[in-house]
């Protein structure tokens, strides 16, 4: 409820005049509807400007960029400005502009079109191929082109592959008689003479010269998957490309998944025909049976596969990463137990299938997968990130029995490895010892003889990311800040010399400058029984500390990500700024357990209690913020989030009904038992061993405590967090006579962005719901 008036002796007419002025001052400006849909004023944001078809605030397109293996040049895709097609020529899809591949010399910037649009016209076709992605052979004489792509769950990984030979100027299609858009993950052999690919869950090798095809596996089926992954390994480990050439080109190592025995989930499409269309796929929910997973090696000439023996139940382990040793004598893979608290680095002999454990990383909670292993000293050692000393540090691990060596001592986290320069005996990594909301490049010696030094410029606070060349001499550098669009540059290392700007986002920066500015700040919230929490705040233009403002929190709160980062936030940041322009104060807080570089205890303290400690932290911080900032109205506090943030929004309004008046939850997990094995068991353990944790961490357990306004939004075709979560929560709310609002999006995925106007409609719905239920004027 609104606060009671504090000036009881004020005459009635004066109180009425003040109320009218307050209402008028908080209304959207002329031309702006309550849902932020339209405005001719360039200083004002609207839903249409942010999410409309024009994509007015879209960042500048650049890339994808690829370094030649010898780092002598890089290439990008650019629109073919000079291409003059025949009158009937057009790209394969009307929405794709005609592009060509351009080579640049790093230092001089010399530009050369090396694959022109004219080169990409197949025989008998009217126009050039639209290029979705491309990859070079090791000697850069040939390029593999990915086109006519189709989406598989998250990404477009099925399509057609063509090879263009720069010397002969020939363009050849791979796959033989395969149906269109059925090839996956085509990859050049090291000598560039062959390409391996997956088609309908089987592996093939094809000669580039004569196009002869050799089928390497024949057991691929609806349940046997060769060379790629099942749904859950793709989603949680990012495992898609599932084949690896040996460096000598004689063998291919690959993953195989057997999904038989895994229960299927069914997605129902009610809108594309007279009768429902059913999509079934293997989805192991918490505590259920996983796919059987193994890795093996097959000769490129054909023959039987030699499988590596791990000595464990193939349905109760994970193999998230695999690669060849440089001498082709071993395949090295990471091997996790089902609880994911032990990660073994195992070397397998491709000729016998015998294995040897090289290194083991353990934790009482969970361990992380090393996304990319960097081998140094001719394969004698590799680099590894571990939290074994309470911080995530970089170690050099011997492939023999020598002790591991700490390379980055100190009370800070190494976030990721950026690159290695072996001739200079140094490794580059991302860290931020002094501010966990920012990201910088550091350099440390590979022999641990000196301290790490910062490489990112000292006068550029914010977030820096890097894409290194193979020799560690160059990098594509992206820099941004909160509310400031990114700039992409080519820099030379080790002195971080800027060679040229690759994408300055000048037009976007101009549009942002024209907006009526909202004051922003990063700050910390001190808790009485825990560490200080990082947060950010966006205030309305013409902010008046004597007024009372509604407060909206944006939350994620789970271990997979962090929201309080000093970087460009894209559409979400713009929408938050739109709300601030309308009169809201918008904040976000990182609770304990989020992926912030604040040490092992910060991240791991939420083990077996997802949703419990995090929501308590959010509530405690909210109370402290309301106490410290009298301009915030405690009777108008809202919260919103997506996926894990949707679950956290539900936990907030269900568990703390006296604190939050409005919540908007998107694509949430209502019951943790409904989510997949890999993610949920990593942080919660098995339900048989943690029944209380699963129950108390699930929002549905506390649905009976709802008192405020609740909006549920969900894609009915969500393959990740199933619409089932929404339905069971709706039933529980009805059972307790709780009123709520609901917006289903038919056949939409977890992203709720497919189809015309969908994303715009979603954010218009959110904006309107806030205006009606968390009004700027009480």
């Amino acid at each position: 409820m609104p606060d009671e008036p504090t000036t009881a002796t004020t005459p009635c007419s004066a109180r009425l005049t003040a109320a009218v002025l307050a209402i008028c001052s908080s209304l959207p400006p002329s031309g702006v509807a309550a849902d932020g849909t339209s405005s001719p004023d360039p200083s004002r944001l609207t839903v249409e400007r942010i999410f409309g078809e024009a994509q007015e605030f879209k960042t500048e397109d650049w890339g994808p960029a690829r370094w030649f293996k010898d780092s002598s040049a890089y290439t990008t895709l650019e629109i073919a400005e000079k291409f003059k097609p025949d009158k009937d020529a057009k790209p394969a899809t009307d929405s794709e502009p005609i592009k060509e591949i351009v080579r640049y010399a790093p230092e001089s910037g010399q530009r050369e079109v090396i694959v022109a649009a004219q080169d990409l016209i197949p025989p008998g076709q009217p126009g050039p191929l639209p290029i979705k992605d491309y990859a070079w052979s090791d000697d850069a004489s040939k390029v593999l082109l990915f086109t006519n792509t189709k989406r598989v769950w998250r990404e477009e990984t099925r399509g057609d592959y063509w090879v263009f030979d720069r010397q002969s100027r020939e363009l050849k299609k791979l796959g033989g008689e395969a149906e269109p858009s059925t090839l996956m993950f085509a990859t050049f052999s090291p000598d560039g003479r062959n390409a391996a690919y997956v088609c309908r869950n089987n592996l093939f090798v094809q000669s580039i010269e004569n196009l002869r095809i050799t089928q390497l596996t024949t057991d691929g089926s609806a349940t046997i998957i060769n060379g790629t992954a099942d749904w859950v390994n793709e989603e949680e480990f990012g495992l898609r490309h599932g084949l690896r050439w040996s460096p000598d080109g004689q063998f291919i190592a690959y993953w195989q998944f057997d999904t038989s025995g895994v229960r299927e989930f069914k997605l129902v499409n009610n809108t594309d025909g007279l009768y429902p269309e059913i999509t079934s796929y293997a989805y192991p929910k918490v505590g259920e049976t996983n796919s059987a997973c193994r890795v093996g090696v097959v000769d490129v000439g054909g023959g039987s596969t030699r499988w590596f023996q791990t000595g464990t139940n193939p349905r109760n382990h994970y193999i998230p990463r695999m690669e060849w040793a440089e001498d082709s004598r071993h395949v090295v893979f990471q091997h996790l137990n089902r609880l994911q608290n032990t990660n073994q680095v195992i070397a397998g002999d491709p000729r016998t299938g015998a294995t040897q454990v090289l290194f083991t990383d353990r934790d009482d909670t969970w361990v992380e997968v090393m996304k990319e292993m960097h081998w140094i000293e001719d394969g004698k050692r590799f680099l590894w990130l571990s939290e074994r000393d309470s911080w995530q540090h970089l170690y050099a691990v011997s492939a023999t029995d020598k002790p591991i060596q700490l390379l980055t001592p100190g009370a800070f986290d190494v976030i990721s490895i950026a690159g290695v320069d072996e001739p200079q005996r140094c490794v580059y990594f991302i860290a931020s010892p002094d501010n966990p909301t920012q990201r910088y490049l550091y350099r440390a010696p590979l022999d641990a003889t000196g301290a790490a030094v910062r490489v990112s410029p000292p006068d550029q606070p914010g977030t820096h990311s890097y894409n290194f060349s193979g020799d560690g001499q160059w990098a594509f550098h992206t820099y941004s800040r909160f509310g400031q669009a990114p700039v992409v540059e080519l820099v030379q290392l080790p002195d971080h010399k800027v060679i040229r700007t690759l994408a300055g986002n000048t037009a976007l920066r101009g549009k942002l400058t024209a907006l009526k500015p909202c004051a922003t700040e990063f700050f910390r919230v001190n808790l009485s029984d825990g560490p200080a929490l990082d947060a950010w705040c966006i205030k309305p233009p013409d902010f008046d500390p004597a007024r009372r403002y509604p407060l909206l929190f944006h939350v994620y709160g789970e271990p997979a990500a962090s929201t309080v980062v000093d970087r460009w936030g894209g559409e979400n940041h713009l929408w938050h700024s739109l709300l601030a322009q309308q009169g809201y104060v918008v904040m976000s807080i990182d609770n304990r357990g989020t992926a912030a570089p604040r040490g092992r205890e910060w991240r791991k303290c939420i083990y077996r209690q997802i949703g419990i400690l995090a929501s308590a932290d959010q509530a405690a911080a909210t109370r402290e913020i309301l106490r410290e900032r009298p301009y915030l109205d405690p009777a108008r506090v809202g919260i919103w989030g997506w996926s894990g943030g949707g679950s956290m929004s539900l936990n907030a309004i269900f568990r703390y009904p006296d604190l939050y008046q409005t919540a908007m939850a998107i694509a949430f997990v209502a019951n943790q038992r409904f989510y997949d094995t890999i993610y949920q068991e990593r942080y919660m353990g098995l339900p048989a061993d943690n029944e209380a944790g699963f129950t108390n961490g699930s929002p549905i357990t506390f649905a009976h405590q709802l008192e405020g306004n609740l909006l549920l939004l969900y894609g009915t075709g969500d393959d990740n967090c199933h619409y089932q979560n929404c339905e069971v929560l709706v039933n529980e709310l009805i059972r307790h006579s709780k009123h709520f609002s609901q917006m289903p999006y038919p056949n939409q995925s977890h992203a709720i962005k497919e189809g015309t106007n969908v994303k715009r409609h979603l954010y218009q719905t959110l904006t309107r719901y806030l205006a009606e239920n968390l009004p700027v004027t009480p």
Side-chain angles (χ1 to χ4, degrees):
M1 297 292 292
D3 290 343
E4 292 293 324
T6 56
T7 53
T9 58
T10 305
C12 180
S13 58
R15 293 202 305 271
L16 178 60
T17 301
V20 171
L21 290 173
I23 292 173
C24 292
S25 66
S26 66
L27 287 174
S30 176
V32 181
D35 59 2
T37 52
S38 61
S39 171
D41 185 351
S43 72
R44 291 283 177 173
L45 287 163
T46 66
V47 170
E48 174 63 30
R49 292 186 70 189
I50 302 170
F51 301 103
E53 291 185 11
Q55 296 183 300
E56 188 175 337
F57 293 93
K58 185 177 183 292
T59 53
E60 185 177 338
D61 285 331
W62 183 79
R66 300 286 183 267
W67 286 101
F68 281 179
K69 187 173 182 180
D70 63 5
S71 302
S72 63
Y74 65 88
T75 58
T76 67
L77 281 178
E78 296 182 6
I79 294 175
E81 302 286 357
K82 297 182 179 180
F83 176 67
K84 297 186 181 300
D86 296 334
K87 63 178 182 178
D88 296 326
K90 61 180 180 179
T93 58
D94 294 335
S95 61
E96 291 285 347
I98 297 173
K99 292 187 178 182
E100 53 197 5
I101 302 178
V102 181
R103 174 193 180 277
Y104 287 92
E107 191 157 17
S108 68
Q110 181 180 5
R111 182 183 185 275
E112 177 189 5
V113 177
I114 58 175
V115 182
Q118 192 68 39
D119 298 322
L120 300 176
I121 303 177
Q125 297 296 317
L129 297 169
I131 306 173
K132 178 68 175 180
D133 203 355
Y134 66 98
W136 291 104
S137 60
D138 284 356
D139 64 0
S141 66
K142 303 179 185 72
V143 62
L144 194 59
L145 307 168
F146 188 37
T147 185
N148 195 26
T149 59
K150 302 295 182 184
R151 182 171 167 181
V152 179
W153 305 126
R154 295 288 161 271
E155 298 182 5
E156 295 181 14
T157 54
R158 284 194 298 111
D160 298 334
Y161 283 92
W162 297 72
V163 174
F164 178 73
D165 188 311
R166 292 176 59 199
Q167 276 72 46
S168 68
R169 316 306 290 178
E170 287 184 285
L171 182 66
K172 299 179 179 180
K173 186 179 182 182
L174 299 181
E177 300 300 320
E179 295 181 9
S181 302
T182 57
L183 269 60
M184 305 176 74
F185 311 116
T187 309
F188 278 124
S189 60
D191 62 9
R193 296 180 179 179
N194 299 286
Y197 55 82
V198 176
C199 183
R200 300 195 182 281
N201 289 340
N202 276 313
L203 281 172
F204 299 82
V205 169
Q206 186 166 10
S207 166
I208 304 300
E209 181 180 359
N210 59 29
L211 298 181
R212 182 174 62 85
I213 297 173
T214 301
Q215 185 167 349
L216 302 183
T217 66
T218 58
D219 57 351
S221 67
T223 57
I224 299 295
I225 303 170
N226 296 304
T228 183
D230 64 352
W231 184 94
V232 70
N233 279 270
E234 174 181 330
E235 174 67 24
E236 304 302 352
F237 290 136
L239 179 52
R240 296 177 176 86
H241 192 312
L243 63 94
R244 304 286 186 270
W245 282 93
S246 63
D248 63 10
Q250 299 302 306
F251 302 97
I252 290 177
Y254 68 97
W255 275 268
Q256 184 188 81
F257 292 88
D258 179 359
T259 66
S260 61
V262 181
R263 298 182 67 179
E264 292 189 340
F265 197 85
K266 301 181 186 302
L267 301 177
V268 182
N269 178 345
N270 285 311
T271 63
D272 288 355
L274 291 175
Y275 294 91
E277 296 179 6
I278 308 297
T279 300
S280 300
Y281 64 107
Y283 185 107
K285 291 182 181 283
V286 174
E288 297 288 316
T289 301
N290 273 324
S291 299
C293 171
R294 58 181 178 173
V295 294
V297 173
V298 63
D299 191 291
V300 296
S304 60
T305 298
R306 290 168 293 284
W307 301 105
F308 296 117
Q309 306 303 314
T310 61
T312 56
N313 183 340
R315 293 188 184 273
N316 284 327
H317 73 185
Y318 303 110
I319 305 177
R321 295 291 182 272
M322 179 256 290
E323 61 189 59
W324 283 89
E326 293 181 4
D327 60 6
S328 299
R329 296 176 60 186
H330 291 93
V331 173
V332 180
F333 56 92
Q334 297 178 49
H335 178 252
L336 289 167
N337 61 337
R338 178 149 181 170
L339 287 177
Q340 301 174 67
N341 57 19
T342 302
N343 189 357
Q344 295 175 316
V345 179
I346 296 178
D349 187 328
R351 290 165 178 81
T352 66
T355 58
Q356 176 188 1
V357 178
L358 302 180
F359 171 71
T360 302
D361 200 14
R362 291 188 177 91
D363 196 286
D364 293 335
T365 58
W366 72 88
V367 291
E368 299 290 348
V369 171
M370 190 68 187
K371 294 182 180 179
E372 181 180 2
M373 292 179 63
H374 295 262
W375 292 85
I376 58 176
E377 300 166 6
D378 296 323
K380 295 179 181 178
R381 296 200 297 171
F382 58 88
L383 302 180
W384 191 266
L385 292 174
S386 175
E387 295 175 320
R388 58 185 52 212
D389 74 345
S390 298
W391 297 92
Q392 180 162 279
H393 277 306
L394 182 59
Y395 295 84
V397 181
S398 171
T400 59
D401 294 331
K402 295 180 180 179
I404 67 173
Q405 186 178 30
L406 174 62
L407 302 183
T408 57
F412 67 94
D413 283 316
V414 174
I415 299 170
S416 62
I417 299 174
V420 177
D421 185 349
E422 272 216 78
Q424 297 299 318
R425 300 293 299 159
C426 67
V427 57
Y428 292 92
F429 60 90
I430 301 296
S432 186
D434 301 320
N435 187 336
T437 71
Q438 299 175 336
R439 305 289 186 267
Y440 301 104
L441 185 68
Y442 282 77
R443 183 177 67 248
L446 284 171
D447 55 9
T449 57
V453 295
R454 176 168 158 175
V455 180
S456 297
D459 60 346
Q460 291 184 353
T463 295
H464 301 254
S465 62
Y466 298 81
N467 180 351
F468 271 64
S469 60
D471 63 3
Q473 302 298 305
W474 309 92
F476 303 129
H477 165 230
T478 302
Y479 167 65
S480 71
R481 293 208 69 184
F482 193 76
Q484 295 182 16
V487 173
V488 183
E489 304 167 328
L490 175 67
V491 297
Q492 188 174 29
L493 299 163
D495 56 1
H496 209 279
K497 178 183 177 182
V498 177
I499 303 301
R500 71 185 65 88
T501 298
L502 304 172
N505 279 303
T506 304
L508 174 56
R509 288 172 174 269
K511 288 183 177 294
L512 295 175
T513 301
L515 296 175
K516 193 167 187 180
C518 301
T520 63
E521 63 170 313
F522 280 72
F523 65 100
R524 279 197 160 180
V525 187
N526 294 310
L527 303 184
S528 59
D529 59 349
L533 307 182
D534 289 296
W536 54 251
C537 173
I538 304 176
K539 296 177 181 177
D542 306 320
F543 171 77
D544 181 358
R547 285 186 54 193
R548 281 289 183 97
Y549 294 90
L551 171 61
L552 177 68
F553 285 101
H554 176 227
V555 65
Y556 180 72
E558 293 212 359
S562 170
T563 58
V564 185
V565 184
D566 188 3
R567 67 183 173 210
W568 171 242
E571 291 174 336
N572 264 0
H573 173 81
L574 291 166
W575 185 65
H576 291 148
S577 298
L578 177 155
L579 296 176
Q581 287 187 344
Q582 291 188 358
Y584 294 91
V585 172
V586 185
M587 292 186 179
S588 189
I589 304 166
D590 267 347
N591 50 260
R592 282 175 287 180
T594 52
R598 297 187 61 176
R600 177 194 176 279
E601 178 61 23
W602 168 273
R603 291 183 291 275
K604 301 293 180 70
C605 66
I606 49 79
Y607 184 58
R608 294 169 64 89
Q609 51 176 339
I610 293 292
I612 302 172
L613 178 61
S615 57
D617 272 3
Q618 290 283 335
T622 299
R623 295 187 195 280
E624 182 63 17
I625 288 170
L626 293 173
R627 187 189 68 81
E628 292 180 346
R629 303 186 180 219
Y631 60 81
L632 297 173
D633 187 351
R636 289 179 292 157
V637 178
I639 189 168
W640 86 283
W642 203 305
S643 192
S647 307
M648 197 65 64
S649 299
L650 294 175
N651 268 321
I653 199 167
F654 291 165
R655 292 169 181 269
Y656 305 98
D658 62 322
L659 188 59
Y660 301 95
Q661 289 78 46
T662 298
M664 304 183 297
I666 308 173
F668 48 85
V669 173
N671 185 335
Q672 293 185 28
R673 292 291 300 270
F674 290 177
Y675 201 51
D676 71 59
T677 51
I678 295 178
Y679 182 91
Q680 212 65 43
E681 291 175 9
R682 179 189 302 151
Y683 307 120
M684 291 294 290
L686 294 169
D689 300 328
N690 188 20
E691 183 177 353
F694 275 91
T695 299
N696 294 329
S698 296
I700 196 169
T701 303
F702 302 92
H704 63 281
Q705 297 181 173
L706 175 66
E707 294 181 8
N709 311 302
L710 176 61
L711 173 63
L712 308 177
L713 304 97
Y714 228 105
T716 68
D718 192 332
D719 58 285
N720 183 12
C721 301
H722 301 138
Y723 187 59
Q724 170 191 41
N725 284 281
C726 191
E727 291 177 316
V728 297
L729 180 59
V730 165
N731 281 343
E732 185 69 5
L733 291 168
I734 292 172
R735 188 166 77 90
H736 293 287
S737 298
K738 299 296 181 180
H739 293 278
F740 59 93
S741 298
Q742 182 182 0
M743 177 60 72
Y745 285 90
N747 305 321
Q748 292 296 306
S749 73
H750 195 58
I752 314 183
K753 65 177 182 180
E754 299 84 6
T756 304
N757 205 44
V758 172
K759 180 181 283 191
R760 179 185 182 277
H761 185 276
L762 183 144
Y763 279 91
Q764 182 178 340
T765 301
L766 296 175
T767 309
R768 186 181 297 277
Y769 191 81
L770 285 176
E772 294 172 353
N773 295 280
L774 197 75
V776 170
T777 302

